Structures are given as C-alpha cells and as structure tokens.
Amino acid sequence: MSDGSYAPTELTRLHRRPDRGSYDRALIHAILDEALVCHVGFVLEGRPHVIPTSILRQGEYVYIHGSPNNRMLSALADGAPACIEVTLVDSLVAGRSGFGCSMDYRSVVIYACGERVEGAEKPAIIDAIVQDLIPGHKVRPPKQKELDATLVLRFPLQEVSAKVRDRGVIDVEEDYARDDLWAGVIPLRITAGAPQDDARLKPGIATPDFAKRYKR
Amino acid sequence: MSDGSYAPTELTRLHRRPDRGSYDRALIHAILDEALVCHVGFVLEGRPHVIPTSILRQGEYVYIHGSPNNRMLSALADGAPACIEVTLVDSLVAGRSGFGCSMDYRSVVIYACGERVEGAEKPAIIDAIVQDLIPGHKVRPPKQKELDATLVLRFPLQEVSAKVRDRGVIDVEEDYARDDLWAGVIPLRITAGAPQDDARLKPGIATPDFAKRYKR
C-alpha cells in the first residue's frame, strides 16, 4: 500500500466497471468529508440491516455515534462486521435512450469492524462531529451523563474503495445522430436555506454568519 | 392492516424512540417518491454489503435495476433478503450542546426479498424509472439487447417503516436560559443547476423546459 492509495482486497476489488473504481486516498477522504450521512449495513440474527447516521472522518478512521440503548449500534460496538456506504449524487444524466439515462455520482464503501471510542477521545470526537456538521457553531461543554448516554464508534479506513461516474452522457454511437432528442446533464447539489432561529432563543443573540452562509 | 398504514412486524417495530416511527402509507410513499437513491443491504458469503442505486416506487413495490453481470444484484435476484433504506436530510439542527445537535430527516426502511421483473412489464418499468428521475424527458424505445442487459428487480412494500425527526432544536431545559449561544435550524435541500447540453447534441435542439426548471 502506497501513501497515496488503499490496497484493494477481496472485498473491495471491483469486478465490474473497474474504470469507475478508485482506491485513491485523497479522493476517498474528500467524498467522506463532503457526506452528511452514511448508510451502515450489518448482519443481525442472520438478517441484513441498514441504518443511516451522520459520519465524521478524521485521519484514517470514520466515526459514527448514537445511543448505547440502540441494539443495532450495540451489535456494531460488539464487533459485528460492517459495510459503511456513502453516496453523493452530482447530476442527473439524460441520455437519448433509457439505457443512456443515469446519474453522475461519487460513492465510497468501507468494510470494517467498529470499536468503542472511550476516555478523553470521546468528547473530542463529539466536538469534531459538531464542527464537521456546522463549522463555527459554539456549544457548551458536554455533561458526563451525556457522554455516558452516547456511544461513539470508529472504523478504520483499510478495506475501502470509491466508485465515481463523472462522464455525463454516454449514448450508443448511432443515437448521437438523432435530431429529435435532447440529451444533457442536470447538475444537483445540496443548498442551505435561510437559517431559522430557535423559537426560544434569548433576545439579542444574532444569527451567526456561519449559519447564514452555510455551504456543504 | 388498515389501508392507511402498514402493519408493524418483528423487523420493523421501533424499539427506541417510537415517537419518531411511522407506518403511515402516504408518508412512506412520499419519502420513497422524493428519494433519488436508496441503499440496499444484503448478506453475501456471510458478510454485509450495501449498494447505492436509483429507486422507483410504483404502487406497493419499489424497483431497482442494474446489470445482470453484477454479482450483488444477482444475489438479490436469487432471493437474498434485502434491507432497503432511504434517507432525506431536511435540515441541520444546531443545539446549545453537542448532545443537542442533530439533523431533521425522513427515512424509510424496507425488509423484503426481490423478484425479477420480466416480459412487457420490464420496458414499462424502465420507462417509469426515466420519468421518475427526469419527468418529461423523451428517449427512444429500448432495444431487445438493452432489455436483456438490464436486470430489473421489485420488492414488495410489506415490512416497512418510516422514521421522521422534524422537531428542530430540542435542548436540555436549563440550556434555553443561556444568552451566549445561538441555536437554530439550517434547512437543506437538493437544488438543480443550469442544465448542460450534451457536447454532441445536434444543432437546433433546444434545452427543454423540464431540464431548466428541474425540481426534486
């Protein structure tokens, strides 16, 4: 494994469309950093389950968190193998056939087992999750009982791969001659609306700039 | 089971935060209809896998499609139990503590086994997928070899539940008294940029209005 990319493994090697696959570390980090949520798959009592949850990447780990009373999260804390998936949809691709319609996207899949984050690292990660979600937002320090009521798990970035489609319209050659069908790309992105102050906000507290100018 | 809602099952009954759970048919349909992609979890050789893919709901089924050469999709076609999950992030919730930071979201989880869609239904579903993704977009009819190269699977909406958080800031009571911390909600949505014509578009074909005014 070089510094610049992850080593493919049996689980992460792409069998189809290897041209869309990537193990590039910077690309994978960028996709994980842009994502608001991930989708965590795991097996419980022989059945597949998928839960959506917020995701933070820091160094060579991704972090998720939730309640220790969540039996799904507890199964992951106990080491159940997980498949963590992140997808960013960049555009709709309108081709000249149904077969030519698609999406441009960037996705990452991580295979890993989780481990509990404890001690001083735990409040640090919770703080980083807040800053990752809403950079600049100030909160009061956590109480011990809040830390106790939060399970933080980390998963190493080892078995990981990205898949990217960014080529827009790819039609069957003869379809390009058609003069009766439009084809193109409609870019999509997540945009923030005007922030809404909490109804119980104390008078005199202004809506901060980071909230007014939020960009993902 | 009434017409208006799905019956909870062992798999879909919410153990935690039942106040956020719903089996309401109209709500679940609306979330599935708004989603561009779903995240399909399943077990292959004892390991969990999650694949992102576009989703169409029609009546009491959801449909996904892909290549018959995709071994993951083939496992699903062969009846491997699936967990299909959809999440729409509606806003970032900036509370006065880390514990109070969250997201408002709408999500759906479906437990089901897939079955192949064949015959005349297959081109009809592929057409419906295009119209679901880009309403108004015209394409040429599919070729037989394209239909043969597309695996379409449907999953019944039976074991299904929604989870919704839409309450904005929910802080610890004493935190509302703080006059040094902002709290509020930053709404998020998917917006479409200006459509980009395919570079090989025939002269004289105008960018259609449905592309210019695309809304999700």
Side-chain angles (χ1 to χ4, degrees):
Chain A
M1 181 168 88
S2 79
D3 260 352
S5 62
Y6 297 99
T9 70
E10 187 59 35
L11 280 169
T12 62
R13 187 166 281 118
L14 291 173
H15 297 269
R16 289 192 59 255
R17 310 239 191 206
D19 55 307
R20 291 190 188 170
S22 172
Y23 305 93
D24 184 78
R25 193 181 301 269
L27 173 69
I28 287 169
H29 285 190
I31 295 170
L32 293 172
D33 292 353
E34 188 172 333
L36 282 171
V37 291
C38 65
H39 310 274
V40 186
F42 56 97
V43 185
L44 195 61
E45 292 166 9
R47 294 291 303 252
H49 296 270
V50 181
I51 49 173
T53 186
S54 67
I55 184 170
L56 165 74
R57 181 198 63 87
Q58 206 171 72
E60 291 300 322
Y61 289 94
V62 291
Y63 297 82
I64 67 173
H65 73 289
S67 163
N69 297 325
N70 181 317
R71 73 197 173 108
M72 301 205 178
L73 219 54
S74 298
L76 291 168
D78 291 342
C83 175
I84 301 177
E85 180 262 321
V86 150
T87 297
L88 307 171
V89 178
D90 292 322
S91 47
L92 302 172
V93 175
R96 294 166 181 84
S97 67
F99 210 69
C101 289
S102 186
M103 298 182 200
D104 276 349
Y105 63 85
R106 290 165 290 150
S107 66
V108 164
V109 171
I110 303 162
Y111 293 94
C113 293
E115 49 191 25
R116 286 182 172 82
V117 173
E118 308 277 16
E121 201 193 346
K122 193 165 162 176
I125 291 300
I126 291 173
D127 195 52
I129 289 169
V130 171
Q131 289 310 309
D132 180 57
L133 211 60
I134 312 170
H137 182 53
K138 286 189 186 66
V139 294
R140 66 152 168 79
K143 300 171 194 283
Q144 188 57 46
K145 69 173 180 184
E146 291 172 342
L147 292 173
D148 294 343
T150 307
L151 184 60
V152 177
L153 301 180
R154 70 176 191 183
F155 299 80
L157 293 175
Q158 285 165 353
E159 295 208 68
V160 54
S161 64
K163 223 173 141 186
V164 174
R165 189 198 193 280
D166 60 0
R167 294 179 55 201
V169 175
I170 308 171
D171 269 330
V172 177
E173 187 52 39
E174 68 199 54
D175 286 350
Y176 288 103
R178 295 196 65 135
D179 57 9
D180 59 337
L181 297 173
W182 178 74
V185 159
I186 303 173
L188 298 178
R189 62 193 180 99
I190 293 175
T191 52
Q196 297 154 6
D197 292 343
D198 178 30
R200 293 178 65 184
L201 193 68
K202 285 280 164 195
I205 302 181
T207 312
D209 279 347
F210 66 75
K212 289 184 195 161
R213 295 177 192 159
Y214 189 84
K215 269 198 181 143
R216 194 70 200 175
Chain B
M1 180 168 89
S2 80
D3 259 351
S5 62
Y6 298 100
T9 71
E10 188 59 34
L11 281 168
T12 61
R13 187 166 280 117
L14 292 174
H15 298 270
R16 288 192 60 253
R17 309 239 191 207
D19 55 308
R20 290 190 188 170
S22 173
Y23 304 93
D24 184 79
R25 192 182 300 269
L27 172 69
I28 287 169
H29 285 190
I31 295 169
L32 293 171
D33 292 353
E34 188 172 334
L36 282 170
V37 292
C38 65
H39 310 275
V40 186
F42 55 98
V43 185
L44 195 60
E45 292 165 10
R47 295 290 304 253
H49 296 270
V50 181
I51 49 173
T53 186
S54 67
I55 185 170
L56 165 73
R57 180 198 63 88
Q58 206 171 72
E60 291 301 321
Y61 289 94
V62 291
Y63 296 82
I64 67 172
H65 73 290
S67 164
N69 298 325
N70 180 317
R71 73 195 174 107
M72 300 206 179
L73 219 53
S74 298
L76 290 168
D78 292 342
C83 175
I84 301 177
E85 180 261 321
V86 150
T87 297
L88 308 171
V89 178
D90 292 320
S91 48
L92 302 172
V93 176
R96 294 165 180 86
S97 67
F99 209 69
C101 289
S102 186
M103 298 182 200
D104 275 349
Y105 63 85
R106 289 165 291 150
S107 66
V108 165
V109 170
I110 303 162
Y111 293 93
C113 293
E115 50 190 25
R116 285 182 172 83
V117 173
E118 308 276 17
E121 200 192 346
K122 195 165 160 176
I125 291 299
I126 292 173
D127 195 52
I129 290 169
V130 171
Q131 289 310 310
D132 180 58
L133 211 60
I134 312 170
H137 182 53
K138 287 190 185 66
V139 295
R140 66 152 168 78
K143 299 172 196 282
Q144 188 57 47
K145 68 173 179 184
E146 291 172 342
L147 292 174
D148 293 343
T150 307
L151 184 60
V152 178
L153 301 180
R154 70 176 190 181
F155 299 80
L157 293 175
Q158 283 165 354
E159 295 208 67
V160 54
S161 65
K163 222 173 141 186
V164 174
R165 189 199 193 279
D166 60 359
R167 294 179 54 201
V169 175
I170 309 172
D171 269 329
V172 177
E173 187 52 39
E174 68 199 53
D175 287 349
Y176 288 103
R178 295 196 64 135
D179 56 9
D180 58 337
L181 297 173
W182 178 74
V185 160
I186 303 173
L188 298 177
R189 61 193 180 100
I190 294 175
T191 52
Q196 298 155 6
D197 292 343
D198 178 30
R200 293 177 67 183
L201 193 68
K202 285 282 165 195
I205 303 181
T207 312
D209 278 348
F210 66 75
K212 288 184 194 162
R213 295 176 192 161
Y214 188 85
K215 269 198 182 144
R216 194 71 201 173

